[in-house]
Amino acid sequence: MFARKFLQKSSGGQKPSPAPPPRGCLIKEDLNPHIVTHCGIPSTASLLAFDPIQCLLAVGTLDGRIKVIGGDNIEAILVSPKQLPFKNLEFIENQGFLVSISNENEIQVWDLDLRQIASSLHWESNITAFSILPGTGYMYVGDEYGMVSVLKYNADEGKLVQLPYYVPTDALAEAAGLSSPIDYPVVGILSQPSSRGTRLLIAFSNGLLFLWDASEDRVVVVRGNKDLPVEGKTVGDSLEASHDELSDLELDGKEISSLCWASADGSVLAVGYVDGDILFWDFSDGQKGKPSNHAVKLQLSSAEKRLPVIVMHWCLDVSRKNCGGKLFIYGGDIIGSEEVLTMLGLDLSSGMGGLKCVGRVDLTLSGSFADMVLSPIASSRQGGMFLFLLTNPGQLQAYDDTSLASLMSQKEISISVSPLPYPMVVPTMDPHMTVAMFAALNVNDKTSLALSEIVLAAKSRTPRTPSGESAQWPLTGGVPSHLDDYKLERLYMAGYQDGSVRIWDATYPCLSLLYALEPKVNGIDITGVDASVTAFSFCSKTSCLAVGNECGMVRIFKLVGHKSGGTLEVVTNTDKEAHRLHQEDGPQWLAAYSFMNSPVCTLRFVQSTRRLAVGFKCGKVAMLDIAAPSIIFVTDSLSDSGSPIKSLYAKSSSAPSGSISGPTDHNSINSEALEDLILCAMTKDGQTIIFDGNTGKILASCLTPLKNPTAICMHILEDCYGNSELPSEKPTENPSGKEKHDNKSHAINASESQLPDGEQNAVTETKFADQRFANSLFLMCSEDALRLYSLKSVSQGSLESSLEINLPKPCCWMGTLKKDERECAVLLLYRTGHIEIRSFPDLEVVGESSLLSLLRWNFKPNMEKTVCSDDFGHVVLVNGCEIAILSFLARANGFRIPESLPLLHDKVLAAAADATFSHFPAHKKNHDGAPKFLSGIIKGLRSSNEQKVDQVQDFSHLGNIFSNPPYLKPSATGGDDENIVELNIDDIEIDEPVTANLEVFFTDKRSDKEKLFDGASSDAHPKTRTVDEIKAKYRKAGETSAIASQAKDKLLERGEKLERISQRTAELQDGAENFASMAHELAKQMEKRKWWNI
């Protein structure tokens, strides 16, 4: 289920047993990388499967993953041990199991409750066809050698086993008139509707079609035989098309590429071929006379070269009163034409011989075709037939029956219709996500408690009621988790290219949208407000959110704690404007700062949360007063080259508990102004600057000589270790033991280019900074190295490297991990997709993983811009339309898994469906093919249409059929259920006695064989009469005395019959004795004769 591939690097050389790690240090046993949650459709999606009862959709991929989708944001990702494509994917309907087949012919049964593989079976030959009998655990497997086998999954034992039954190829060859068994690959297996699972349609690649009856072990119908005459006609894709005879149709070499039933009772089969033809074959039971090929040919194009018919699906058209249907086809059109999905309206009111095409619609695809599923849905939200269409890369759409019917009624063939797009829980592409943030909350803070109350109130007002696109999306499967002690613990925030911001509740694995902040409110037009979002900062204590964009604007929002309405203040270089807001619910927009025409690179609330530090791409830093609101100062560019600001860190003097004030509190302005504040900034070229947070005066500036000016971020470890725990300043051996990278320790002179005048007084001015950063370490991550410095040396204008680690690969992102409430390790993401964890204080590698092993992802450019994490081992990553949350710490279970996971299999619904189908085997169906009584059952019980009628049938007899090989079923003689026929003396008719003439034995001129076996082949049996025949013969009108007299006569007649039988028995016995005597005399005479006299 979860990926656990995790490697430990051994240290180089042999050393004595290490001492116990310091408190808070990370060790190998603390790590367990795995997936917490996954949202979105994988870009490698290739297959679809649907459970019409549970209303679940499964998406198979080319990389060994399966995405299971239900309703109300319920999603799950199943990861196969091997990164291989799936070629078959099907649900065991209403039983909570999903079956997949990989390219290595590994048959896997997935338990949806446990979200893991329950059983697997490796098939020796190449599987070319697969089908599950709806409503059962029986599976049909066809292989490359023409064999069809039967499997069954036993849910009680959790085993997938192969049953003794199979379809003999010699019997199929004999029925087709072939001299040798069939060895062509099986390309299709379908169970015939309404056959109780005993009849199976088998299609071979060479065009042969067989309807096999497993209960009788015989072929019922053969079609596609090239030696049989073809009867039928050709129809076009419209009523105006000409109808030609099929007498000249050549079946030799016609390969089958797809097939489906085209009638509810399984009497018509639609078959698509590689040459682009579509043939409708007659499989009705009335074909017991002379065998023939009764077919109707349909062509989507008259061109000579056409595309193969790759996929076909059929559904009943209720508008034609069950006398027609819709056929969905991918392929069959002219080569080079636009990629479309064709929908044909078929009229079968006059039988297959009068088949007509009454309409055609070509649905334009948004990408290259991957797969489609056609199934009915009858739920409390919506009902009818739905078409789920999967296109590349990872685009899932749905068409409802109403929109398809309206398209069919129009005259135009090529129509552009807007389908229902899959409602992404977290949109990543439309609109395009540019930046993200993962924020952990303190559940005991007033802000967190207030947010929790808002979320619970919103859920109670609209329980399980989606809005917008989600309201139209038909899937409703799964059961959300309900935990009583809910508290908001995490928020996930994303900024988009259109300037909008979305905030989700990330407490549990199923994310739920809380707020969507649009760039424009109440028609207030501010220049640059809709620019792409580039930076975030969030203060959990005051629920303040700062948003920076590409035009240099900074917006301040407050999520809770404000009154309805309010004022929006816009601060610029020259003036300040106030706009009255008329909003009642949701976050309040407090202020907008627009004074710098340069993209915002980083934002940082200071510890008091009354100020906000802003770093710009031009290299300048600004300090904003949130309470005023106003601009405190703006520095000049901190780098000669104008390098962007990559990281900011603020440190203020210690304040008593509870002194933190929000941006709307004005009582502590004077005390706040007197508070000492140190601000540390780092540019992309590696320059570090420390300046006064109140005045902007530079206190120290140090330049790190980087070979490649690609600094990623900096992090300050406050009071993390005592002096005895600091890493040695002497050069040490490479801790990884795998790559030979030297740890360097050296001192770097300070750059004097950014120091202000009066540098001789720097020691006096930075005295409080030395005290503030005592026992703190400065960690800088660049693309090629990790460097650990003493912050005291930084404040003094020099960088004394305590430790330097050359990284083996180009790094693009860094995060930190906490253990025992202390920062214990760094998490590095490389541009190769590898993930590395290094523990403090020596930055030794304690674990490795990769995006490929965990998520089956490859690293893509700019992926690092949307990577975010908290301090508890949770990392959020975005890749195309996918978003995933990973957890790296073994003992961390902040998401409360598995209690918080939604259920994929609804057992209540399954039990209700089973009870319904068992108690109502015969029922009236409504117009969409679903039983009427199902509409009122729990959750809007989903049912099947006419094509799924097998589901309500009894399949208990299949166990006896498939438990034995063909032709070796146990004899039914003597069974309890066998009707025993009793022979009555009155039913025996005795002919007149015939005198036996033994002389015929010697005078007969026939051959010896005919003489000896004379009469032995007679199939005569005593004539038995049914009860109705006896009653009809002896029932006569009359009085009781007449009936009694008639009975007496019959009794006398019976006695006469018995006497005649006794006489004939005596005559036969005398004849036998005479024959034996004659034979004895003949033998004596033959003994006296010599061999030459014979």
Side-chain angles (χ1 to χ4, degrees), residues 72 454-467 513:
D72 304 300
I454 294 174
V455 174
L456 288 175
K459 291 183 178 180
S460 62
R461 288 194 302 268
T462 56
R464 299 197 69 184
T465 304
S467 59
L513 183 65

Side-chain angles (χ1 to χ4, degrees), residues 87 104-105 122-127 142-145 147:
K87 55 183 179 181
E104 287 188 350
N105 302 297
H122 181 73
W123 203 254
E124 295 299 331
S125 57
N126 183 30
I127 298 175
D143 65 11
E144 58 183 333
Y145 302 114
M147 292 295 299

